[in-house]
């Protein structure tokens, strides 16, 4: 009985312990390494948008750019991650990962202001 109480006490302490990284650190890691191509490669360091490539198609010069994502409302941001439009890969992120990414972009925007 005493041993069971000690194990329960240990597990309670372990589960209630704070994370070893902050929410912003986690979100930053997710932004720069989600599962393949990082968000910054197309959307810039702070989600401001970025020119990815210039190319020629049938004799016409074109450009491929990642749009700004740091000004989107959360609902639009979440919806965009669930579609494959204009080269956007599907990452199959969890809701918590999407919230973390959005949090990161909002923190970066605040730092710019």
């Amino acid at each position: 009985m005493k041993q069971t109480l000690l194990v329960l006490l240990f597990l309670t302490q372990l589960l209630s312990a704070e994370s070893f990284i902050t929410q912003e650190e986690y979100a930053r890691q997710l932004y720069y390494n989600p599962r393949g191509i990082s968000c910054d490669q197309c959307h810039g360091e702070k989600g401001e948008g970025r020119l990815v490539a210039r190319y020629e198609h049938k004799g016409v010069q074109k450009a491929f750019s990642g749009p700004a994502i740091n000004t989107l409302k959360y609902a639009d941001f979440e919806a965009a991650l669930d579609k494959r439009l204009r080269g956007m890969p599907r990452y199959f992120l969890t809701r918590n990962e999407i919230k973390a990414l959005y949090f990161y972009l909002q923190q970066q925007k605040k730092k710019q202001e």
Side-chain angles (χ1 to χ4, degrees), residues 31-32 38-52 65-70 104-105 108 112:
Y31 189 78
Y32 284 95
S38 63
C39 306
D40 71 303
Q41 295 296 307
C42 298
H43 300 290
E45 289 187 30
K46 295 176 175 69
E48 69 280 6
R50 179 172 176 253
L51 174 66
V52 177
S65 299
I69 56 173
N70 60 358
Y104 176 76
L105 292 170
Q108 297 310 302
Q112 284 182 329

Side-chain angles (χ1 to χ4, degrees), residues 77-84 88-90 92 95 98:
F77 180 77
E78 183 179 34
L81 284 167
D82 199 29
K83 297 176 185 167
R84 284 204 72 205
M88 176 69 183
R90 296 270 324 259
F92 301 100
R95 294 293 168 232
I98 294 169

Side-chain angles (χ1 to χ4, degrees), residues 9-103:
L9 180 61
F10 174 74
L11 288 174
T12 302
Q13 291 297 320
L14 183 64
L15 294 173
S16 65
E18 291 195 27
S19 176
F20 64 96
I21 62 173
T22 66
Q23 181 181 7
E24 188 169 355
E25 290 169 328
Y26 169 71
R28 184 182 193 291
Q29 289 176 3
L30 191 58
Y31 189 78
Y32 284 95
N33 189 17
R35 289 185 190 110
I37 299 170
S38 63
C39 306
D40 71 303
Q41 295 296 307
C42 298
H43 300 290
E45 289 187 30
K46 295 176 175 69
E48 69 280 6
R50 179 172 176 253
L51 174 66
V52 177
R54 292 186 187 280
Y55 61 98
E56 186 175 319
H57 179 69
K58 297 183 180 180
V60 177
Q61 291 294 318
K62 297 194 174 209
F64 177 74
S65 299
I69 56 173
N70 60 358
T71 56
L72 294 173
K73 293 180 183 172
Y74 179 76
D76 297 331
F77 180 77
E78 183 179 34
L81 284 167
D82 199 29
K83 297 176 185 167
R84 284 204 72 205
L85 295 175
R86 297 181 15 212
M88 176 69 183
R90 296 270 324 259
Y91 289 104
F92 301 100
L93 300 170
T94 67
R95 294 293 168 232
N96 285 341
E97 290 171 327
I98 294 169
K99 288 177 185 175
L101 285 170
Y102 190 78
F103 167 81

